[in-house]
Amino acid sequence: MNGAESLVRTLVAGGVDVCFTNPGTSEMHFVAALDRVEGMRCVLGLFEGVVTGAADGYYRMKGTPASTLLHLGPGLANGLANLHNAKKANSGIVNIVGQHATYHIGYNAPLTSDIEGLARPMSSWVRTSPDAKSVAADGAAAIAAAKSSPAQIATLILPADTAWNEADGIAQVPDDNQRASYSAQAVDNAAKVLRNGGASTLLLMTGSALTEHGLALAAQIAGKTGCKVMGQTYNPRMARGKGRFSIDRIPYVIEQALPILKDFKNIVLVEANDPVAFFAYPNKPSMLKPQGCEVHRMTTGAENSVAALEALAGALHAQPADRQPQKTVELAKPTGALTHASIAQAIAMAIPENAIVVDESVTTGRGFFPPTAAAAPHDWLQNMGGSIGFSTPVATGAAVACPDRKVICVVGDGSAMYTLQSLWTQAREGLNVVTIVFANKIYQILRGEFDGVGAGEPGQRALDMLKIDRPDLDFVALAKGMGVPARAVANADDFNKALAEAVAEPGPRLIEVQM
């Protein structure tokens, strides 16, 4: 048994049985080991950003880490943007990065680089295996790190000779680190705040608090105390849809966020962070909470927020009967022109039971939340790190994790082009993903940011940096070229029909919404 085989066997034994990969020469012994070890599913991506993003989506839906297999420093570097998003989402991932043989590194071959230096900004755990006999134990330690609470991105660097030299066998993964309980004192403090000023208190939640059960508890607490419950602007996963407690998110736009937050005297954080602006803008605050507002942390991402919410509800004597009726938008199939409102209605009508929605719609999708609150129950995934090219890979990984669930990916045309290779992987694996591309032929988010930073009125050269026309992108042709059936729509009636057909059919589909 060589080092690569000992690592694959350790991964499988440790519950890491999916590998998203784009390998090269240094990883060939790992690739060869896949033929000798049962139990590892390998999913090929044509770009490393697809590979790392898919691992993020897999963890968000499965709750256990996948591995990636990347080629040396440049391969890892290609995947760093989506590892940044995964880190912000607290997703556990085991990266396996091939390295030159130990005796070859000193010759400064073209692909030689500081892989550990590249890995550290996005990885909480980094190690280079020194020899074949260490590989299995190092792999087990990487798995333990990825499964810790909060989950970590672990990067194991595997020099080629440690992969092909003889190794002893597999290594046992230490017992999973369970999510810590919670601080009883922090819960007691939150209860006091809510008793004394519920109506002027914001319960700001993210992470595990946004499960169906966590939201139901928050609804009881809000009904009992009169507090407001909101989510962060972006969240790794949120249970939504009919029958579930629907909450708003803090708006992205500062001018919209400030009036919503201005009257709160207290904010209780449940895994969330202080509300801050996404960027710095001239003459606008970075911190969105009002002056004098006190912040009280109840849980961190390392703690059991659902258990803490149960304890908080108990301390407040909040019962299911305290939940207040919710107002939801009435759903009806839209007709006529495609507008942001009609698009939102059409998507809300089309979301099937237990679907997964991956959202990178940026400007078009800002109004999607109210109508989709009345859709069939589903999970909603968002970009936690802001690095573009998140949605199509995350949708791919989510579909691998949950093959029995339909995944709907909503994305702008500019964002879609970053990792469009995801469609090829979806076609190859037969994944149930419906990709909806909003084709407005401009980086609309940047047009708004141009005004937001006070850059003045854009001239022709500036506009050329914001528009994505000349030539126009043909997403139908691009999708079909990668094996994904596709169609374009230009009105709401055709969009309704295309959505119904795409949701009903197995395998991947793409709809280009021409705006």
Side-chain angles (χ1 to χ4, degrees), residues 22 84 104 107 163 216 258 265 289 357 410 493:
N22 187 283
H84 165 78
H104 190 68
Y107 293 102
L258 291 177
K265 294 183 172 60
K289 66 184 180 184
V357 180
V410 290
D493 300 274

Side-chain angles (χ1 to χ4, degrees), residues 4 8 21-24 27-36 42 69:
V8 176
T21 178
N22 187 283
E27 296 76 42
M28 286 300 101
H29 285 278
F30 188 102
V31 173
L34 299 172
D35 285 327
R36 299 191 295 272
C42 282
L69 182 62

